[in-house]
Amino acid sequence: MGEDFESSNIVGDYILRRKLGESSQSTVWKADHRVTGEAVALKQIAAAKLTAHLRNCLECELDFLSSVNHPNIIRLLDFFKFQDFIILVMEFCAGGNLASFIQRHGRVREHLARTFMQQLGAGLQVMQQNHIVHRDLKPENILLSGSECEPVLKIADFGLSRVLLPEEFAQTVCGSAFYMAPEVLQFQRYNDKVDMWSVGAILFELLNGHPPFHGRSSVQLLQNIKESTSLPFTPSILPQLHPECVDLCTRLLSISPDDRLSFKEFHQHDFLKL
């Protein structure tokens, strides 16, 4: 995918500069507008590779991003068809993603983890208001803009998102295993609390420098989650954390969705108000 793009170097009004990332369904490029010089991110999706499920997700992504303008949600600037591809023009975030931030800095201090959770919560609130479930929240899908000293998180890549109304459930297995809620790993029906598990996994990774649970397969990962009696915080880190921080992380990573914090409970948690 992308050979025509690389050979021509021009897509509509944009000049391709470099590849930022690639998955089985899409490729993301850094590009500049040919007239204004504005840096953007171009998401290139092969129309032929879209299953019915992915087409529905894409429609959800376009509908949602076209309707919102929020500092903690990636901004969709334009979209169009080019050759056999669907092109999404997104704002360019020079800070990269949260995964590379953690790789560069290691675990972050609690006050920065709280700031990141507050920003994530602000973006999630917009999603809640629009009944959007992301289903693939992970550090790679959270981008950073602003300065290195004061980064601003932006929830991105809504390619697996869908509308899920209150009292509704979904069953499609999707997401990234290390951030996937146990009910999804077990092929059970699920609601918007799958995103809250992912938020808990992200908070844990911010504090410890690695995801909370590991496994060489989804089966082993699920087994390790079920066998854990407490969250595997790094022993030297745990005494440094405020009890409310540990409480928030623990309750977000509750195996049972009934016991897991809802978005409203997360948003009102005392750790975010410290």
Side-chain angles (χ1 to χ4, degrees):
M1 191 198 314
E3 291 178 2
D4 292 343
F5 279 49
E6 288 176 288
S7 59
S8 68
N9 208 40
I10 294 176
V11 179
D13 292 330
Y14 299 92
I15 302 171
L16 300 184
R17 295 304 183 193
R18 60 186 171 91
K19 191 181 291 186
L20 296 174
E22 191 168 17
S23 70
S24 56
Q25 285 88 34
S26 64
T27 306
V28 181
W29 306 82
K30 183 184 179 185
D32 296 334
H33 193 279
R34 292 165 71 177
V35 177
T36 66
E38 178 188 13
V40 298
L42 284 190
K43 184 177 181 179
Q44 162 206 355
I45 302 166
K49 291 193 174 184
L50 289 176
T51 62
H53 163 65
L54 290 174
R55 192 172 293 278
N56 289 338
C57 291
L58 176 60
E59 289 176 5
C60 178
E61 180 175 22
L62 291 174
D63 288 345
F64 173 62
L65 293 180
S66 298
S67 67
V68 300
N69 184 3
H70 188 276
N72 301 118
I73 302 280
I74 194 71
R75 204 152 44 94
L76 176 68
L77 305 173
D78 192 13
F79 62 93
F80 56 90
K81 285 202 76 171
F82 181 82
Q83 298 172 359
D84 298 323
F85 300 100
I86 298 164
I87 308 297
L88 277 61
V89 184
M90 325 289 292
E91 67 175 308
F92 176 70
C93 295
N97 61 39
L98 190 57
S100 59
F101 183 90
I102 294 171
Q103 285 174 353
R104 288 197 309 272
H105 297 272
R107 70 179 192 88
V108 305
R109 293 185 179 275
E110 185 182 80
H111 70 86
L112 182 56
R114 180 170 60 250
T115 299
F116 281 167
M117 284 294 115
Q118 290 167 337
Q119 293 180 5
L120 203 51
L124 286 166
Q125 187 169 32
V126 179
M127 290 164 52
Q128 285 281 317
Q129 291 164 350
N130 288 271
H131 306 295
I132 296 291
V133 183
H134 190 285
R135 300 197 290 189
D136 197 19
L137 286 174
K138 58 182 178 179
E140 288 85 352
N141 288 341
I142 297 172
L143 303 181
L144 289 87
S145 68
S147 66
E148 183 83 2
C149 299
E150 294 187 353
V152 177
L153 294 192
K154 292 179 182 284
I155 303 172
D157 200 343
F158 286 79
L160 293 176
S161 65
R162 64 160 286 179
V163 172
L164 198 64
L165 298 175
E167 311 305 323
E168 276 190 341
F169 289 88
Q171 290 185 298
T172 305
V173 176
C174 54
S176 302
F178 288 163
Y179 307 93
M180 199 183 282
E183 58 268 29
V184 183
L185 288 168
Q186 295 179 95
F187 304 99
Q188 298 172 348
R189 65 178 197 160
Y190 56 86
N191 58 16
D192 59 350
K193 283 193 175 181
V194 295
D195 280 352
M196 303 319 300
W197 173 278
S198 302
V199 171
I202 292 167
L203 174 57
F204 183 96
E205 185 165 351
L206 284 167
L207 297 168
N208 293 269
H210 56 81
F213 302 104
H214 293 273
R216 292 182 179 178
S217 66
S218 296
V219 173
Q220 189 182 67
L221 175 64
L222 180 62
Q223 185 177 349
N224 290 340
I225 292 172
K226 286 183 168 183
E227 289 176 354
S228 65
T229 54
S230 61
L231 289 186
F233 279 101
T234 305
S236 60
I237 293 171
L238 197 55
Q240 304 171 30
L241 299 177
H242 194 285
E244 292 293 355
C245 177
V246 178
D247 180 74
L248 176 61
C249 199
T250 303
R251 294 173 68 191
L252 284 170
L253 291 172
S254 292
I255 294 177
S256 168
D258 292 336
D259 298 332
R260 194 177 308 147
L261 293 184
S262 66
F263 168 73
K264 185 176 180 181
E265 290 167 330
F266 162 76
H267 200 57
Q268 295 176 346
H269 196 276
D270 286 343
F271 175 64
L272 300 189
K273 301 174 183 175
L274 287 175

